[in-house]
Amino acid sequence: AQSVSQHNHHVILSEAASLELGCNYSYGGTVNLFWYVQYPGQHLQLLLKYFSGDPLVKGIKGFEAEFIKSKFSFNLRKPSVQWSDTAEYFCAVNAGGFKTIFGAGTRLFVKA
Amino acid sequence: NAGVTQTPKFRILKIGQSMTLQCTQDMNHNYMYWYRQDPGMGLKLIYYSVGAGITDKGEVPNGYNVSRSTTEDFPLRLELAAPSQTSVYFCASRIGQGASNQPQHFGDGTRLSIL
């Protein structure tokens, strides 16, 4: 069965620190990959997605992610975080069809 | 566009009561989903629908029911509320078949407590 693993459940950073959140999935075929963000008290919203082409994708608010097929990974990065990036981040995979599998989420807290 | 609208935002139920969580979308999306979100557990799929009149179970369907009489609406019914159903419920929608590279659009959620 498909699964998505996010390595860190909680991350605490100071403002201006660099961020990398790990995501690995288990599926050998073609996949569509997503990162969603959930700000406190809000719904999930799309940060970025990858489905083909350049494996380095850029999203909103300075986030980017790199798809490494050989490692089944889709890690999220941001060079310099801000207090407003405090949120929960979800990696998600769709291998075709209706179903998208979500990771357990990583809670990021950025200290001002 | 309103996107995906869920009502109510908050609700407290007593054990054994029933209620319906409402979800409507105005994007003409064929696919609709109900998830529950528990701390540290991510999103678990309860039910989904690929179009009006078509629904199917997800990972955690027990204790819930759904219907899809129109493209826009996808209500979730709890028949006999149990404490294990205390959670945050999200409704989502997506364009449909052949669009697996498209994201899901989420509502604001319903925070439900069963006491």
Short mmCIF file of all heavy atoms in Angstrom, two decimals, chain B residues 2 8 14 28-29 44-45 71:
data_model
loop_
_atom_site.label_atom_id
_atom_site.label_comp_id
_atom_site.label_asym_id
_atom_site.label_seq_id
_atom_site.Cartn_x
_atom_site.Cartn_y
_atom_site.Cartn_z
N ALA B 2 -16.75 31.08 -3.45
CA ALA B 2 -16.63 30.72 -2.05
C ALA B 2 -15.72 29.52 -1.89
O ALA B 2 -15.12 29.34 -0.84
CB ALA B 2 -18.00 30.42 -1.47
N PRO B 8 -21.52 23.14 10.60
CA PRO B 8 -21.09 24.31 11.37
C PRO B 8 -19.58 24.33 11.54
O PRO B 8 -18.90 23.39 11.14
CB PRO B 8 -21.78 24.06 12.71
CG PRO B 8 -21.78 22.58 12.86
CD PRO B 8 -22.00 22.03 11.47
N LYS B 14 -23.73 15.26 22.57
CA LYS B 14 -23.73 14.25 23.63
C LYS B 14 -23.64 12.87 22.99
O LYS B 14 -24.06 12.66 21.84
CB LYS B 14 -25.02 14.37 24.45
CG LYS B 14 -25.12 15.66 25.24
CD LYS B 14 -26.38 15.68 26.08
CE LYS B 14 -26.47 16.97 26.88
NZ LYS B 14 -27.71 17.06 27.69
N ASN B 28 -17.79 23.21 -9.29
CA ASN B 28 -18.21 22.16 -10.22
C ASN B 28 -17.24 20.98 -10.22
O ASN B 28 -17.01 20.36 -11.26
CB ASN B 28 -18.38 22.72 -11.64
CG ASN B 28 -19.29 21.84 -12.48
OD1 ASN B 28 -20.24 21.22 -11.97
ND2 ASN B 28 -19.02 21.77 -13.77
N HIS B 29 -16.68 20.70 -9.04
CA HIS B 29 -15.75 19.58 -8.92
C HIS B 29 -16.52 18.27 -8.80
O HIS B 29 -17.51 18.17 -8.07
CB HIS B 29 -14.86 19.75 -7.68
CG HIS B 29 -13.82 20.79 -7.85
ND1 HIS B 29 -13.00 21.21 -6.81
CD2 HIS B 29 -13.41 21.50 -8.94
CE1 HIS B 29 -12.15 22.11 -7.27
NE2 HIS B 29 -12.38 22.30 -8.55
N LYS B 44 -7.19 11.37 7.75
CA LYS B 44 -7.70 10.04 7.45
C LYS B 44 -8.98 10.18 6.62
O LYS B 44 -9.89 10.91 7.00
CB LYS B 44 -8.01 9.27 8.74
CG LYS B 44 -6.80 9.07 9.64
CD LYS B 44 -5.75 8.20 8.98
CE LYS B 44 -4.59 7.93 9.94
NZ LYS B 44 -3.49 7.19 9.29
N LEU B 45 -9.05 9.46 5.53
CA LEU B 45 -10.19 9.54 4.62
C LEU B 45 -11.36 8.75 5.17
O LEU B 45 -11.23 7.56 5.45
CB LEU B 45 -9.79 9.04 3.24
CG LEU B 45 -10.84 9.09 2.14
CD1 LEU B 45 -11.22 10.54 1.84
CD2 LEU B 45 -10.34 8.40 0.88
N THR B 71 -23.97 17.61 -7.48
CA THR B 71 -22.53 17.83 -7.61
C THR B 71 -21.99 18.70 -6.49
O THR B 71 -20.89 18.52 -6.02
CB THR B 71 -22.21 18.49 -8.97
OG1 THR B 71 -22.63 17.63 -10.01
CG2 THR B 71 -20.72 18.76 -9.13
#
